[in-house]
Amino acid sequence: MAPPPEHRRPIKRAAISDQQRRREVALRLQADRRSDAQNRARQLASSVLSLGHEPETEPEVEQEQEMSDASGQLSGRTDLDPVRAARLRGPEVRRWFARQLMLPEWMVDVPPLLDRDWYVFPRPSGKRCFVVSSNGTTISRLRNGSILHRFPSNLPNGARTKDVSGPASSYSILDCIFHEPDETYYVIDMVCWRGYSLYDCTAEFRFFWLNSKLSETGASDPPSQYHRYRFNVVQIYECNLAGLQASYSGQVPYVKDGLLFFNKHAHYQAGNTPLALVWKDNVCSQYVLDTDSKGQIPSQQQVVLELQNDGNLTTFDDPPVALGSLSRDLIAQSGLQVGNLVRVAIRDDSVRLVDGKLDLGELQLVGKTNHSRAFADTYSKVLFQHAARHAPLRIEDLVASIQSNSSMDNSQASDVEMEG
Amino acid sequence: MAMEITQALLAAQSPDGQVRTAAESNLKQFQEQNLPHFLLSLSAELANEQKPPESRRLAGILLKNSLDAKDSFRKEQLTKQWVAVDPTIKSQIKEALLTTLASPVSDARSTASQVIAKVASIEIARKEWQDLIGKLLANMTTKETPASLKQATLQSLGYVCEEVSPSDLEQDQVNAVLTAVVQGMNQAEHGFEVRLAAIRALYNALDFAQTNFENEMERNYIMKVVCETAVSKEPEIRQAAFECLVSVASIYYGVLEPYMQTLFNLTANAIRGDEEQVALQAIEFWSTVCDEEIAIQEECAGTDEGNSVLHFRFVEKALHVLVPVLLETLLKQEEDQDQDDGTWNLSMAGGTCLGLVARTVGDAVVPLVMPFVQANITKSDWRSHEAATFAFGSILEGPSVEKLAPMVHNGLDFLLSAMKDPSSHVRDTTAWTLSRIFEILHSPSGTIIDQSNLPKIMTVLLESIRDVPNVAEKVCGAIYFLAQGYEDAGSASSVLTPYLGNIITALLSTADRADASSNRLCSSAYETLNEVVRCSSIPENTNMIGQLLHEILKRLGQTMEMEIVSTDDKERQSNLQALLCGVIQVITQTLNGSEESLPVILQSADQMMVMFLRVFACHSSTVHEEAMLAIGALAYTTGQEFAKYMPEFYKYLERGLQNFEEYQVCSISVGVVGDICRAMDDKVLPYCDGIMSVLLKDLSNAVLHRSVKPPIFSCFGDIALAIGEHFEKYVPYVIPMLQGAAELSTQIECTDEDTEEYVNQLRRGIFEAYSGILQGFKNAKADLMLPHAGHLLQFTEAVFKDKNRDEGVTKAAVAMLGDLADALGPNLKLLFRDCTFHAEFLGECFQSDDDQLRETATWTQGMIRRVLVS
């Protein structure tokens, strides 16, 4: 019996062997992992890039900006790949995540036009984290980069279950607070959905998207085998009197920890931003005053600052603000090193506000902070804490600000009419 | 002077082993001491009519083996040796060869014609032996030439055409060859042997006839003669004529139209009534026309310029007559055809052709085939039933799902019940048809398989897997594709979960069957197991797959206890170990995809590694490819933990990297180095000196298959990324290699797709190497790369301008540009200012449909921008 002609495969003979397939799969995986590994290095670099070392206006920039626009919906930023970032290790991961979360400043002044440009909602008490779902897993990471949970969920590609609506590698990122008592993730912002980046979208759009998209997935369903934790959206209000009232004293299914204010027009901006604000008092939070490392409220205000090589103690701001310094002797004596986070106590009587700038005066070293602490306090926090002890911003102040806004609106409106 | 070597040549064929070995070593000694005279003596022996045919034959073979070898490196050496031989000796040898063509001994003539072609393949490309064609043609034009010399001459011309590249012959030489060959086919003038040699020579000369086929008159003439030859009285000649027609259909599809009516009649008659070997070639003609039209359709798909390529739709036009002819062949089965999957007979060729017809014309084939299926499938004789099933199975690829789904739906129950047919032929083809249905039409969203028929399908398959080996093998195929339909289907794959235990048990016992020893069934069972594992829903089936892992490890352990007496035993052991390592590899890859199942692998990692090392240890010379692949998967899973296995594993890794003879083993070992680097990071450092030196040696090894070289470059990048600044000491060796390869890649002439692809792979490897090195040095030693930046930009620009650049190279090049800017920063400001191609290059990338490429390009743009404004 003659064999078939050279290039002719008999139809009943299998087209490829599984061994060949295994070989090809292995090669493909290796290639993918190589590009992952190399991209990991690149993404880190690009998150450094996004920290603002880049001058905003330069002739070259404009010319190249056009090219980038030509690429369609692709936005200018690429420092966003938490899937790869999720595989980072050690201190790099902490730095990466610290740069990705939007960190509200503490409200020390009431911003103007609160009722027109802002949202408000009661902040759930719990752990702030980034939740990333991709490739069949959901991972939540705390602000310091450590993993809180790794679990299956109904988020897109959040579990190894049927999801035909997009590639398994496309990821979604939610900004959440994990609320221990009912083991629920309260979603306070949406950063990325099915690979579509919402970084450059306004809060208004992000909240709209969050509310319409999350409900499509069943992420708010009660926990089940492939959905370990429930995701709930937080009710968000326009920051008018009614909204503020509802947020402040309304019933919510979770333990409140202050109020969050979001500027409607602000993009999701990594790092500290004055376009998101946190405010609290004793009515809407159990934790108005900071506790020390033992969980007690100290008699004197304590502040966590980072030691710089010139002995200055700085806040976690960009750029950092120096609030005091330690002497070389004291540094040597206490075995401190540059970069250490130190807890210092403030003598109330020595604090001064000079030209709106805080001068803490004499600082008393309390000690080093424990390891889980990753960042120093921000300037606005120090200020808020100081105010909370002496002349707090009260809910009445907020109400009054809104009321004056609305009356101003009226007067402006009539002004226009008169001129016309 | 030629030496007397007859005795040695005869002794070298002696049945007495000792005599033989002694003679062989004598001959070898002679060859090594004086190659020119050795060759001369062989040619003299071949030409000498006084010598016994046996010594002449061996002389010819040795001569041929001194000119050509399969291995390309060896071939190159032999060519150089021949070129270096004294010209007077060479011309004596060639003269002797030409003389031998006239020998009355047919064996000597035939050997001589082959040797002539080998010499021609070396010399004609070098513009030497230019009078060869003339001398051969003279044999044909002389009236008194005996038929035997004409036959040998035509044979030589054919072989020469086979060996020589078309560009190396002058057109007038081609014309003369074709004229001689076509005249040789003249039935009135020549006997059987001359005509057979002529038509076979024409087959080889077709590639040369480009110009002649463009000329209508010449083409008409050649086609007329071939068609006449296709109805010669001798079947061998008819067969050779149809082989020519097959070749014409493939090379000259564009000019076939005027001849198609004639060709259709010729082939249809041959398929219906001629002897099997002729009919098979006639079927092959249509299969080839299908190949051409499928390729044209694929080329046109997605473009509007369908008219720019000649597409005559011959198959569609002939469909109504062609399909019935093919269906008839399906009834011409042989009794034992299912025993060998290489079987090639009328039924198999007919079914294969019908499958191609279906792929060519799609839906149109269905109404022409279904009446045949319906009329025959319920007949009680096995031939009708099998042929009907085969016809149905053959047309499943090509027509639309909408067209096929209703028929498959209606027929599925019948097919399932046919798995109990008394005829094993029917069961074999039915099982194959089921596997085709699952392969082509079944998907989680499809309607072919649902909860209502899945239980019955599973019952039938799990019963039939116990059928005779050839049927069981097809059933394995059906299970394979049934599972594959649920691959990447997420939770839909849990549809199989209730059956998973039984499927795994059935496949394991199938692999154990005594009659699976032919090995094909055994390997089908394990390979099907792989697919079942890949498609099992994880994490819900984690425990079951974990148990399977233990069973497979146990079986792998048992292979070490196998009794090994013969080389066959050894091969059986090795094959079985390969299959089992394959299953372990697949289990590892499947379980490491989920957090819940990952611990199962980590818990067994020690045991797995011990097994792999034992597999390596029981093969002294070579490294086991499948075990290597499995280790790569394990290293990725265990991460840094892998460091504890390295001291034991390293020697095998090194052995694998050194195995340049089996290049696939080498290539896989190179890949595993990458896996290990990514798993261990800088913990791989102690092994890097060893690994790097073997890799560098591999690169300078002329014998190593070229396909391994690009991955070695990529691997440099993996190592550099893992060990960072410690890569510094390799820079003086690696950079020149990379530069040399970059240079080479711009010099290679891309004459064919393979070379084109190779150049792309090479460049991708080079870019990946630079990326890894730049990233690895970024924080500490970036300046080391500063002297190379200019070269790198030049090379990247050259690659950018290359039309044949593929997407993989583009990605790697753009990423490397970003790495370069990132690592070297402001130092490159002037370079990036002066060389502006990067803007254009990035602009091109932004137009791409590939998200990843656009993302990388955006990043690179940011990096370059930062340098430019620094």
Side-chain angles (χ1 to χ4, degrees):
Chain A
M1 202 182 325
E6 207 175 326
H7 298 293
R8 185 70 54 213
R9 176 176 63 85
I11 194 165
K12 280 176 98 172
R13 184 192 284 174
I16 56 155
S17 76
D18 194 77
Q19 190 198 9
Q20 188 53 31
R21 208 175 140 199
R22 283 199 299 284
R23 225 180 253 150
E24 284 163 10
V25 167
L27 287 175
R28 189 170 45 75
L29 285 176
Q30 282 165 356
D32 287 354
R33 286 166 189 163
R34 170 175 302 123
S35 92
D36 273 359
Q38 297 198 338
N39 276 331
R40 194 195 299 165
R42 283 176 200 130
Q43 296 304 334
L44 263 185
S46 62
S47 61
V48 173
L49 186 73
S50 72
L51 262 181
H53 295 309
E54 187 184 351
E56 292 293 293
T57 46
E58 274 288 328
E60 279 111 337
V61 176
E62 276 177 18
Q63 174 236 326
E64 294 191 20
Q65 196 59 48
E66 283 172 20
M67 274 178 6
S68 142
D69 289 341
S71 66
Q73 61 157 332
L74 186 81
S75 75
R77 67 186 298 144
T78 50
D79 46 329
L80 166 72
D81 190 348
V83 177
R84 284 169 192 140
R87 298 191 200 117
L88 299 176
R89 295 170 199 153
E92 284 165 345
V93 78
R94 246 180 271 154
R95 261 180 265 145
W96 195 89
F97 272 92
R99 283 177 193 130
Q100 304 310 313
L101 273 176
M102 178 156 83
L103 305 171
E105 286 192 359
W106 290 67
M107 189 189 284
V108 284
D109 285 315
V110 184
L113 303 180
L114 198 56
D115 62 332
R116 212 167 64 187
D117 290 342
W118 294 77
Y119 290 120
V120 61
F121 60 88
R123 180 189 185 281
S125 155
K127 294 170 175 151
R128 176 85 184 280
C129 53
F130 243 162
V131 177
V132 180
S133 71
S134 163
N135 278 324
T137 317
T138 308
I139 295 177
S140 56
R141 278 184 188 272
L142 299 176
R143 216 186 121 189
N144 66 9
S146 64
I147 292 180
L148 177 63
H149 299 125
R150 198 189 283 257
F151 57 103
S153 77
N154 284 343
L155 291 175
N157 298 317
R160 301 195 117 230
T161 52
K162 185 181 177 184
D163 186 345
V164 289
S165 50
S169 60
S170 88
Y171 46 80
S172 303
I173 310 169
L174 301 177
D175 188 341
C176 297
I177 292 170
F178 183 69
H179 184 251
E180 294 272 6
D182 63 353
E183 295 213 313
T184 298
Y185 281 92
Y186 286 92
V187 186
I188 60 169
D189 210 332
M190 181 180 270
V191 178
C192 193
W193 190 252
R194 294 191 196 277
Y196 174 63
S197 167
L198 293 156
Y199 266 95
D200 295 331
C201 301
T202 60
E204 198 169 10
F205 180 81
R206 295 200 308 276
F207 289 144
F208 159 72
W209 207 246
L210 166 62
N211 276 299
S212 50
K213 291 294 160 187
L214 199 70
S215 59
E216 289 171 7
T217 59
S220 303
D221 293 350
S224 59
Q225 190 184 359
Y226 296 115
H227 182 56
R228 178 68 188 80
Y229 297 104
R230 180 206 288 260
F231 287 81
N232 278 347
V233 288
V234 175
Q235 176 73 46
I236 291 165
Y237 301 95
E238 296 275 337
C239 195
N240 50 29
L241 278 181
L244 184 65
Q245 201 60 46
S247 307
Y248 185 66
S249 48
Q251 281 294 315
V252 283
Y254 48 83
V255 180
K256 268 189 225 175
D257 180 20
L259 303 181
L260 273 173
F261 297 81
F262 275 57
N263 186 297
K264 290 181 190 174
H265 314 295
H267 291 187
Y268 194 97
Q269 184 187 336
N272 297 318
T273 172
L275 296 175
L277 297 167
V278 60
W279 174 88
K280 39 177 94 165
D281 69 5
N282 282 319
V283 175
C284 66
S285 171
Q286 302 170 8
Y287 319 99
V288 179
L289 292 182
D290 245 13
T291 52
D292 63 14
S293 49
K294 297 182 200 76
Q296 304 293 320
I297 297 177
S299 56
Q300 291 178 318
Q301 184 183 351
Q302 294 190 357
V303 178
V304 173
L305 297 169
E306 185 174 342
L307 179 64
Q308 303 296 330
N309 56 7
D310 53 5
N312 274 346
L313 292 172
T314 59
T315 61
F316 179 69
D317 288 283
D318 187 22
V321 180
L323 289 180
S325 62
L326 294 179
S327 69
R328 300 223 168 268
D329 292 347
L330 185 57
I331 293 172
Q333 220 172 43
S334 339
L336 292 173
Q337 285 171 355
V338 171
N340 279 161
L341 297 182
V342 297
R343 186 178 284 280
V344 293
I346 301 170
R347 293 214 359 243
D348 285 345
D349 50 0
S350 68
V351 176
R352 286 190 179 59
L353 266 170
V354 183
D355 297 336
K357 226 185 145 296
L358 199 61
D359 180 356
L360 297 184
E362 196 180 324
L363 298 174
Q364 285 177 311
L365 180 64
V366 177
K368 273 208 281 186
T369 59
N370 65 23
H371 287 299
S372 62
R373 182 81 188 230
F375 308 102
D377 288 338
T378 58
Y379 178 72
S380 68
K381 179 176 177 184
V382 177
L383 215 53
F384 184 91
Q385 287 289 325
H386 183 259
R389 284 170 178 265
H390 304 281
L393 187 66
R394 295 163 307 150
I395 186 73
E396 293 79 12
D397 300 329
L398 296 177
V399 171
S401 162
I402 292 172
Q403 279 167 337
S404 74
N405 280 349
S406 46
S407 61
M408 225 164 67
D409 268 3
N410 289 338
S411 65
Q412 269 174 359
S414 53
D415 277 354
V416 172
E417 225 168 37
M418 276 165 24
E419 277 178 16
Chain B
M1 236 353 265
M3 258 179 61
E4 172 64 42
I5 50 168
T6 313
Q7 285 318 310
L9 288 169
L10 291 175
Q13 302 172 72
S14 160
D16 183 335
Q18 252 180 331
V19 176
R20 206 167 57 233
T21 319
E24 278 167 359
S25 84
N26 278 343
L27 287 170
K28 199 165 170 64
Q29 206 182 351
F30 181 20
Q31 181 177 19
E32 279 162 10
Q33 279 169 358
N34 194 337
L35 183 76
H37 280 93
F38 176 68
L39 298 177
L40 184 61
S41 307
L42 290 174
S43 68
E45 184 80 14
L46 178 60
N48 191 334
E49 300 298 335
Q50 317 301 321
K51 299 292 182 183
E54 295 78 22
S55 69
R56 294 177 72 181
R57 203 177 58 87
L58 185 59
I61 290 172
L62 290 177
L63 204 47
K64 199 173 77 178
N65 293 345
S66 308
L67 292 161
D68 191 16
K70 276 207 181 107
D71 178 79
S72 60
F73 180 72
R74 170 107 184 107
K75 182 174 176 155
E76 207 176 306
Q77 278 184 319
L78 293 173
T79 303
K80 280 186 194 146
Q81 281 180 4
W82 173 258
V83 170
V85 170
D86 181 341
T88 45
I89 293 186
K90 280 194 283 198
S91 71
Q92 278 175 289
I93 294 173
K94 290 186 276 191
E95 214 42 58
L97 290 171
L98 287 170
T99 317
T100 314
L101 292 182
S103 167
V105 182
S106 90
D107 222 10
R109 292 200 303 272
S110 163
T111 314
S113 61
Q114 289 175 48
V115 181
I116 286 171
K118 297 297 177 194
V119 176
S121 90
I122 297 175
E123 298 207 333
I124 290 191
R126 302 170 48 85
K127 298 286 168 213
E128 295 165 2
W129 212 5
Q130 291 299 301
D131 57 350
L132 168 66
I133 302 290
K135 284 189 170 163
L136 289 173
L137 290 174
N139 289 341
M140 299 307 294
T141 43
T142 317
K143 267 268 183 283
E144 313 78 60
T145 307
S148 60
L149 176 55
K150 284 191 172 164
Q151 177 255 350
T153 303
L154 285 167
Q155 213 173 19
S156 303
L157 284 170
Y159 289 141
V160 169
C161 289
E162 198 178 0
E163 294 284 343
V164 172
S165 151
S167 58
D168 289 333
L169 282 193
E170 306 291 336
Q171 184 58 40
D172 56 345
Q173 288 180 313
V174 173
N175 294 345
V177 169
L178 284 173
T179 310
V181 166
V182 171
Q183 278 171 0
M185 288 155 68
N186 188 321
Q187 203 150 354
E189 271 180 49
H190 301 293
F192 168 70
E193 304 231 309
V194 172
R195 283 187 292 122
L196 184 61
I199 186 82
R200 286 184 175 162
L202 177 66
Y203 178 85
N204 288 322
L206 281 171
D207 264 332
F208 291 78
Q210 207 81 44
T211 314
N212 311 80
F213 262 83
E214 280 160 20
N215 177 320
E216 191 187 342
M217 217 173 66
E218 291 183 37
R219 180 175 71 228
N220 283 343
Y221 183 61
I222 296 173
M223 289 301 287
K224 175 171 162 284
V225 175
V226 178
C227 289
E228 282 169 7
T229 312
V231 291
S232 304
K233 54 185 186 298
E234 303 90 342
E236 288 97 328
I237 292 183
R238 294 201 299 275
Q239 182 189 342
F242 275 107
E243 282 174 33
C244 282
L245 290 175
V246 169
S247 181
V248 167
S250 150
I251 310 173
Y252 302 111
Y253 171 88
V255 299
L256 276 186
E257 193 174 28
Y259 316 107
M260 277 314 277
Q261 190 55 49
T262 312
L263 290 173
F264 179 80
N265 293 337
L266 272 177
T267 50
N269 287 337
I271 296 171
R272 284 215 162 98
D274 211 325
E275 292 188 23
E276 185 176 35
Q277 289 314 312
V278 185
L280 285 175
Q281 286 304 326
I283 296 173
E284 184 60 20
F285 172 83
W286 283 101
S287 292
T288 304
V289 173
C290 288
D291 287 344
E292 291 303 315
E293 299 198 338
I294 289 169
I296 292 168
Q297 282 160 205
E298 280 172 2
E299 227 169 278
C300 296
T303 65
D304 303 331
E305 42 206 323
N307 297 331
S308 67
V309 189
L310 282 175
H311 186 358
F312 294 106
R313 304 188 185 280
F314 293 136
V315 178
E316 198 180 298
K317 288 173 191 158
L319 201 60
H320 287 264
V321 239
L322 178 62
V323 169
V325 174
L326 292 174
L327 289 172
E328 280 172 37
T329 65
L330 303 189
L331 291 157
K332 299 178 179 171
Q333 306 99 327
E334 294 169 302
E335 291 286 349
D336 61 349
Q337 66 176 15
D338 298 328
Q339 299 313 312
D340 172 9
D341 74 343
T343 294
W344 196 240
N345 56 30
L346 284 175
S347 150
M348 200 56 65
T352 302
C353 187
L354 189 59
L356 290 165
V357 168
R359 286 178 52 201
T360 312
V361 303
D363 285 357
V365 80
V366 176
L368 297 173
V369 172
M370 285 315 286
F372 176 85
V373 175
Q374 281 146 3
N376 288 286
I377 202 155
T378 49
K379 285 188 185 164
S380 55
D381 72 299
W382 74 264
R383 285 180 188 278
S384 304
H385 189 169
E386 194 275 341
T389 314
F390 192 26
F392 186 59
S394 296
I395 60 164
L396 289 172
E397 189 183 359
S400 61
V401 177
E402 296 72 41
K403 189 89 179 170
L404 293 171
M407 290 180 299
V408 169
H409 230 273
N410 293 335
L412 198 58
D413 264 350
F414 183 87
L415 288 171
L416 290 173
S417 60
M419 287 309 296
K420 295 203 173 66
D421 196 272
S423 156
S424 74
H425 297 291
V426 169
R427 297 197 305 276
D428 185 284
T429 301
T430 304
W432 170 77
T433 302
L434 286 170
S435 82
R436 293 262 293 175
I437 289 173
F438 300 155
E439 178 185 2
I440 300 160
L441 297 169
H442 154 55
S443 67
S445 54
T447 55
I448 300 297
I449 298 178
D450 53 32
Q451 287 297 353
S452 69
N453 57 20
L454 184 58
K456 181 164 184 202
I457 292 172
M458 287 315 316
T459 309
V460 170
L461 292 179
L462 293 180
E463 248 168 62
S464 297
I465 202 169
R466 295 199 292 265
D467 207 323
V468 291
N470 58 298
V471 177
E473 202 189 318
K474 305 287 192 306
V475 172
C476 285
I479 297 175
Y480 189 106
F481 290 116
L482 180 69
Q484 191 171 72
Y486 296 108
E487 196 167 315
D488 301 323
S491 60
S493 62
S494 57
V495 171
L496 283 184
T497 299
Y499 309 97
L500 197 61
N502 286 340
I503 296 175
I504 291 175
T505 312
L507 289 170
L508 286 173
S509 47
T510 303
D512 277 343
R513 272 166 63 159
D515 58 359
S517 58
S518 67
N519 225 328
R520 264 189 21 221
L521 180 55
C522 177
S523 70
S524 293
Y526 280 123
E527 304 208 322
T528 302
L529 193 56
N530 290 338
E531 190 60 16
V532 169
V533 171
R534 285 188 196 110
C535 303
S536 63
S537 173
I538 299 292
E540 73 177 313
N541 292 310
T542 302
N543 286 340
M544 200 180 301
I545 304 298
Q547 281 167 21
L548 175 63
L549 175 61
H550 287 119
E551 171 65 22
I552 298 293
L553 284 168
K554 193 183 94 196
R555 288 179 177 218
L556 188 53
Q558 285 162 355
T559 64
M560 321 286 175
E561 266 85 67
M562 283 167 72
E563 199 182 343
I564 307 295
V565 182
S566 62
T567 49
D568 277 0
D569 294 340
K570 190 87 203 158
E571 197 184 320
R572 224 155 37 95
Q573 181 195 39
S574 176
N575 286 341
L576 193 52
Q577 287 171 342
L579 291 166
L580 293 166
C581 288
V583 180
I584 296 174
Q585 182 202 347
V586 171
I587 292 178
T588 308
Q589 278 163 358
T590 306
L591 292 187
N592 77 18
S594 141
E595 290 302 317
E596 285 91 332
S597 54
L598 187 60
V600 175
I601 297 295
L602 297 179
Q603 282 153 19
S604 306
D606 286 354
Q607 200 194 345
M608 286 159 75
M609 202 59 204
V610 167
M611 278 304 165
F612 297 145
L613 292 171
R614 286 179 66 192
V615 171
F616 283 136
C618 76
H619 301 276
S620 54
S621 59
T622 159
V623 161
H624 208 275
E625 178 185 341
E626 290 279 353
M628 200 52 109
L629 275 173
I631 284 177
L634 185 63
Y636 177 76
T637 307
T638 57
Q640 295 239 331
E641 289 291 297
F642 194 82
K644 66 177 169 184
Y645 308 125
M646 273 308 272
E648 261 309 292
F649 171 56
Y650 179 71
K651 62 180 170 195
Y652 299 113
L653 179 64
E654 190 172 63
R655 201 189 281 171
L657 292 172
Q658 285 166 335
N659 190 347
F660 55 83
E661 290 98 346
E662 290 167 276
Y663 72 91
Q664 282 182 321
V665 173
C666 187
S667 166
I668 280 164
S669 306
V670 171
V672 169
V673 172
D675 286 330
I676 289 173
C677 287
R678 284 182 288 277
M680 292 172 56
D681 283 337
D682 54 355
K683 288 196 178 150
V684 78
L685 189 58
Y687 305 97
C688 284
D689 281 355
I691 292 172
M692 284 300 295
S693 75
V694 182
L695 290 179
L696 288 166
K697 260 182 226 153
D698 277 342
L699 280 181
S700 11
N701 185 335
V703 184
L704 180 67
H705 195 273
R706 69 176 186 180
S707 71
V708 189
K709 296 187 177 176
I712 291 181
F713 287 126
S714 307
C715 187
F716 287 157
D718 298 338
I719 294 173
L721 191 57
I723 64 173
E725 57 189 281
H726 302 290
F727 198 77
E728 179 178 1
K729 61 175 160 177
Y730 308 124
V731 164
Y733 306 97
V734 168
I735 298 289
M737 288 275 190
L738 288 168
Q739 287 178 347
E743 185 104 336
L744 179 75
S745 84
T746 52
Q747 286 164 356
I748 297 179
E749 230 181 299
C750 286
T751 44
D752 56 280
E753 278 177 29
D754 280 354
T755 315
E756 224 174 271
E757 202 189 320
Y758 177 69
V759 168
N760 277 321
Q761 284 167 350
L762 190 62
R763 289 175 169 176
R764 188 177 168 169
I766 295 169
F767 285 125
E768 285 176 343
Y770 278 117
S771 275
I773 297 172
L774 286 162
Q775 292 178 351
F777 282 169
K778 195 179 105 183
N779 295 321
K781 304 265 174 164
D783 289 352
L784 285 174
M785 294 304 288
L786 201 52
H788 310 295
H791 156 81
L792 252 174
L793 280 175
Q794 278 165 19
F795 173 56
T796 313
E797 182 165 12
V799 171
F800 164 61
K801 288 182 174 152
D802 182 355
K803 292 187 304 295
N804 296 327
R805 166 168 53 93
D806 69 14
E807 186 120 303
V809 177
T810 304
K811 261 186 211 170
V814 165
M816 194 285 298
L817 276 181
D819 291 327
L820 190 66
D822 182 24
L824 296 177
N827 292 319
L828 294 186
K829 189 169 178 172
L830 289 179
L831 268 178
F832 273 117
R833 277 248 160 96
D834 291 347
C835 99
T836 50
F837 79 93
H838 57 81
E840 206 182 325
F841 194 8
L842 291 171
E844 181 201 298
C845 298
F846 290 131
Q847 305 299 317
S848 162
D849 295 331
D850 186 320
D851 293 342
Q852 230 193 338
L853 176 57
R854 289 205 311 268
E855 198 183 318
T856 307
T858 311
W859 175 79
T860 296
Q861 186 188 52
M863 286 296 152
I864 295 179
R865 200 191 286 169
R866 194 174 62 159
V867 169
L868 288 175
V869 300
S870 59

